Amino acid sequence: MAKIVGGVTTSHIPAIGNAIAKELFEDPYWKPFFDGYPAVRAWLDKVKPDVAIVVYNDHGLNFFLDKMPTFSVGAAFEYENRDEGWGLQPLPPYPGDPELSWHLIESLVADEFDICSCQEMAVDHGFTVPMSLLWPDRAARTVKTIPVAVNTVQHPLPTPARCFKLGQAIGRAVESYGKDLKVVVLGTGGLSHQLDGERAGFINKAFDLMCLEKIVDEPETLARYSIHDLVRLAGAQGAELILWLIMRGALGDKVSKVHSNYHIPISNTGAGLLVLESA
Amino acid sequence: MPLQPSPTKDPIPGTVIFDGAMAMRGYALNKMCYSFNEEAGRAAFLADEDGYCDRFGLNEAQKAAIKARNALDLIAAGGNIYYLAKFIGMLGLNVQDVGAQQTGMTVEEFKAKLQAAGH
């Protein structure tokens, strides 16, 4: 049977993609951020996941406002990265696992999560930056991917409680899959940041640190916030915490913390990193 | 009558919630910015800004905000930051530049504010 071995949360800021392309790993601005990642890669080398379910938000590459699904699950043989308009070089496609995708889709809909299935799905920096951070050696990367995209563009956004429950449903779906596969779930984005408005540059370190702590053993306390609470406490784009809650829901009741890191600022963001292993 | 933004119990200063009302107001503007994902869209805009805005049906407030490169006006006109980011990036600006513009700071002051959040 398939098993969720753990989860990783990481910021997915486009500037990280630029810094990787320019190899700024030792640059004083970037070093405290990049230094958080070798421990994550060591953990991935140890657990050797076959599939990564990547929970992210599309920032206007695959979806426009003409059709804005709340939850979308990729069901493709591969996922293309494309030009987002600001100069990040598109990366080669990411292999999918359509058989597991369709199992997820069947299971989620049976479980009353009426997601949008996508046989074509371009993935943007929200997906590619975490993949580059976790598996920098593309040639050696064997992990297959399933993108799960969540609307964080146009309100109403799904509530934190709903996202946590979706994660739990993803967990049940994976555990009911007949093949022996090890699955890791990535919750991307966050933590606090706001790009737009007179409040641009808002970062809430105390809130971020509280989230990094509570999501380990008391995720329900975070799931009680409203989206409006998250916008107020973590900034307009800090609502991406819902992506972390999906990851956490998928991992089940008990997890152990393997590693964490937190650094301010990367671009306009409090950058949080967490590795959780399933019990 | 256009749909009015939903009244929030608790408005957040300096923050526009991009809801259905804003998404309707900004549809043409955001659609134009979405086209900047493609090189052809960017080139066509840069070759003839006014003509390109007209092709997408931008209203006068949206056209003026595009012309002025004014982020707060673009947001007030219904622009969503994720689509606007494509316009901003095309101009060679980043989110610190735009943060500084929106907060009335220099870019150095804005970066210092971000650094200070870590202490």
Side-chain angles (χ1 to χ4, degrees):
Chain A
M1 300 293 275
K3 177 175 167 44
I4 293 183
V5 291
V8 179
T9 63
T10 169
S11 295
H12 62 210
I13 307 154
I16 300 168
N18 276 321
I20 291 172
K22 293 181 188 157
E23 302 188 350
L24 299 178
F25 310 118
E26 297 298 321
D27 178 277
Y29 180 90
W30 287 99
K31 189 172 167 50
F33 171 78
F34 282 121
D35 279 357
Y37 286 85
V40 186
R41 292 176 208 134
W43 178 77
L44 289 168
D45 283 344
K46 191 185 79 169
V47 298
K48 295 186 175 49
D50 303 294
V51 179
I53 295 176
V54 185
V55 184
Y56 74 109
N57 55 307
D58 180 82
H59 306 72
L61 179 68
N62 191 66
F63 296 113
F64 180 60
L65 303 173
D66 58 337
K67 305 172 196 75
M68 185 53 69
T70 298
F71 299 120
S72 308
V73 177
F77 287 97
E78 63 173 27
Y79 302 96
E80 272 186 30
N81 177 221
R82 292 188 199 138
D83 189 355
E84 294 184 58
W86 54 53
L88 266 186
Q89 269 307 106
L91 296 165
Y94 296 80
D97 183 343
E99 189 183 325
L100 177 55
S101 284
W102 283 109
H103 173 80
L104 272 180
I105 292 161
E106 292 272 0
S107 177
L108 289 174
V109 173
D111 220 350
E112 302 180 355
F113 283 88
D114 305 316
I115 47 82
C116 171
S117 59
C118 301
Q119 288 204 58
E120 288 190 43
M121 194 171 185
V123 291
D124 72 6
H125 66 271
F127 176 103
T128 66
V129 165
M131 290 299 294
S132 298
L133 285 167
L134 270 46
W135 290 277
D137 183 356
R138 199 169 185 103
R141 186 193 297 158
T142 54
V143 72
K144 293 179 175 175
T145 57
I146 299 180
V148 174
V150 179
N151 165 36
T152 67
V153 172
Q154 176 182 272
H155 291 248
L157 315 186
T159 64
R162 183 67 173 157
C163 289
F164 187 63
K165 287 179 192 164
L166 172 64
Q168 291 174 319
I170 289 173
R172 287 191 289 273
V174 170
E175 303 283 338
S176 69
Y177 189 56
K179 283 192 178 173
D180 279 328
L181 287 180
K182 288 185 282 188
V183 178
V184 65
V185 184
L186 311 188
T188 77
L191 285 164
S192 61
H193 62 303
Q194 177 152 342
L195 304 176
D196 47 333
E198 293 90 342
R199 197 172 179 247
F202 175 82
I203 293 178
N204 187 344
K205 182 180 180 180
F207 183 78
D208 289 351
L209 294 176
M210 185 275 292
C211 290
L212 279 164
E213 185 198 328
K214 295 283 183 197
I215 201 162
V216 181
D217 292 322
E218 302 172 64
E220 295 87 354
T221 59
L222 302 180
R224 279 188 214 116
Y225 286 112
S226 69
I227 286 291
H228 200 70
D229 291 334
L230 292 185
V231 173
R232 182 162 41 81
L233 292 164
Q237 286 77 40
E240 288 169 356
L241 183 69
I242 58 178
L243 311 173
W244 290 38
L245 281 168
I246 293 174
M247 177 286 300
R248 182 61 190 83
L251 265 49
D253 290 344
K254 288 272 174 256
V255 296
S256 55
K257 184 167 96 173
V258 176
H259 174 66
S260 72
N261 191 41
Y262 180 72
H263 178 68
I264 292 177
I266 288 300
S267 189
N268 289 22
T269 305
L273 173 65
L274 195 57
V275 179
L276 300 177
E277 194 163 83
S278 303
Chain B
M1 191 177 126
L3 193 63
Q4 293 303 307
S6 49
T8 27
K9 307 130 269 183
D10 174 21
I12 301 166
T15 305
V16 173
I17 300 292
F18 187 80
D19 61 5
M22 295 307 291
M24 290 180 76
R25 183 188 297 178
Y27 194 81
L29 169 62
N30 290 316
K31 191 166 182 177
M32 180 178 85
C33 291
Y34 183 65
S35 80
F36 298 149
N37 275 326
E38 299 196 4
E39 174 59 34
R42 302 193 290 269
F45 173 85
L46 293 171
D48 174 14
E49 291 196 16
D50 291 341
Y52 201 71
C53 288
D54 286 337
R55 198 196 306 175
F56 282 87
L58 270 62
N59 64 31
E60 291 308 314
Q62 291 166 341
K63 281 197 273 192
I66 284 282
K67 208 180 273 279
R69 275 70 169 135
N70 185 308
L72 291 177
D73 288 351
L74 286 164
I75 290 164
N80 174 279
I81 192 66
Y82 293 128
Y83 305 109
L84 295 178
K86 299 170 192 304
F87 175 58
I88 291 159
M90 178 176 76
L91 301 174
L93 303 173
N94 65 33
V95 289
Q96 278 86 51
D97 299 316
V98 175
Q101 189 198 77
Q102 294 177 105
T103 52
M105 296 181 186
T106 66
V107 175
E108 289 313 311
E109 286 166 348
F110 187 74
K111 286 182 178 170
K113 169 188 153 85
L114 294 167
Q115 288 284 354
H119 300 306

